[in-house]
Amino acid sequence: MERFLTPLLALIGGDAQADRVVPPTGFTARLTLFASGAMAFLAVFALALSLATGRLADRWGEALAQSSTIRVSAPDGQVEQQVLAVMSVLETTPGIANARVLTDEEQRALLEPWFGPDLPIDTLPVPKLIEVIEEGEGYDSDGLRQRLAGEAPGAVLDDHTRWREPLVRAASRLRGLGAISIVLIAATTGAMITLAANAALAANAQVIHVLRLVGAMDSYIAGAFVRRFTLRALAGSAIGTLVGTVMILLLPSADVGGGFLTGLGFRGWHWLLPLAIPVLAALVAFAATRRAALVTLRELS
């Protein structure tokens, strides 16, 4: 990074008169500004997506890793007896910090999204739910299932493994896709700027020939093109980053009910990360234009 950052800063503060070598307007200018701005806009959302899925994976993992649920189903008159048997087993199971039976109000709240708020839970054969909170390294789920089968045949243990692992895996993969998207955006930006630089160099072939005749070095000519395209990319990406950040700010705030869709955004110091996008765009433009200029000048020799 330092290898490119030092000459980049020197280039931006270099000889502004060299800009006269490159036409200040035209197709290449518009293409560079548009490409860098659009890619920066997309990079903001890719970055927000990657960070949001990372938070989501952590939240799902923490919320479900230390909790389990036991569902108790039994004929009328035997439910309470089965619940007492389950609680007795849990009290003597190592690795369990706490266990409690969910109240009717809590179970009604769990079923409300599907059946509405007026569900007559007292008249329905709804199984009793027992929430189990683990401690330390947790408990032996296979051993607990065997004990429950002997003491309370109507009890079924759900340690949330079949829910937690796919969700965390999906969120982690989505975070990886966000990172890949940022890399592809950077590569696309470099490709577009390379095309624009090649077009500008080809259009100014006669100017380059005249500059060589009056003694201009290839490094001076290349620096003129590199400086102009780097500054264009920096300006375009700064605008795109600003617009993208404003769009992120306008999204709904994080809400438990909305889940992931309302949690897409930045948190805390992560709001500083978009500031790196224009710098990275300028570095990409610097590297792409410098390579294109050196290759083209070598061909024109």
Side-chain angles (χ1 to χ4, degrees), residues 62-80:
E62 293 174 359
L64 297 178
Q66 297 297 319
S67 66
S68 304
T69 303
I70 296 178
R71 184 176 68 254
V72 181
S73 300
D76 293 339
Q78 299 183 20
V79 175
E80 294 301 329

Side-chain angles (χ1 to χ4, degrees), residues 69-76 79-80 83 101-104 106-108 110-111 119 121 124-130 154-156:
T69 303
I70 296 178
R71 184 176 68 254
V72 181
S73 300
D76 293 339
V79 175
E80 294 301 329
V83 169
V101 181
L102 297 185
T103 64
D104 291 343
E106 290 174 316
Q107 291 193 223
R108 185 179 292 107
L110 292 174
L111 297 174
L119 180 67
I121 195 170
L124 295 176
V126 178
K128 284 289 186 180
L129 297 180
I130 301 175
V156 178

Side-chain angles (χ1 to χ4, degrees), residues 8 14 42 63 92 108 165 220 250 252 264 273:
L8 173 63
L42 296 176
T92 59
R108 185 179 292 107
E165 292 181 355
Y220 177 84
L250 295 178
L264 182 60
L273 292 179

Side-chain angles (χ1 to χ4, degrees), residues 136-296:
E137 297 181 357
Y139 58 86
D140 180 9
S141 58
D142 293 333
L144 180 57
R145 285 191 176 92
Q146 293 176 4
R147 294 184 62 192
L148 290 174
E151 299 292 336
V156 178
L157 172 65
D158 182 3
D159 60 3
H160 300 164
T161 300
R162 64 193 181 102
W163 300 101
R164 181 178 69 250
E165 292 181 355
L167 290 175
V168 173
R169 185 166 58 250
S172 299
R173 290 181 178 178
L174 193 57
R175 176 171 49 185
L177 289 176
I180 293 174
S181 298
I182 295 175
V183 173
L184 292 177
I185 287 171
T188 303
T189 302
M192 295 297 293
I193 292 176
T194 298
L195 291 175
N198 284 333
L201 288 162
N204 289 274
Q206 293 298 326
V207 175
I208 294 173
H209 180 66
V210 173
L211 289 172
R212 282 174 167 171
L213 290 178
V214 299
M217 302 294 293
D218 282 355
S219 59
Y220 177 84
I221 300 172
F225 282 91
V226 172
R227 184 175 190 274
R228 174 58 64 84
F229 279 89
T230 300
L231 291 176
R232 287 173 181 171
L234 182 64
S237 59
I239 295 172
T241 300
L242 177 61
V243 175
T245 304
V246 171
M247 293 297 102
I248 292 293
L249 281 170
L250 295 178
L251 290 176
S253 59
D255 179 74
V256 176
F260 173 70
L261 293 178
T262 59
L264 182 60
F266 302 104
R267 299 289 181 273
W269 67 270
H270 287 166
W271 283 105
L272 298 176
L273 292 179
L275 298 177
I277 293 177
V279 178
L280 293 177
L283 287 172
V284 170
F286 171 78
T289 309
R290 185 171 181 271
R291 182 178 181 277
L294 293 177
V295 171
T296 302

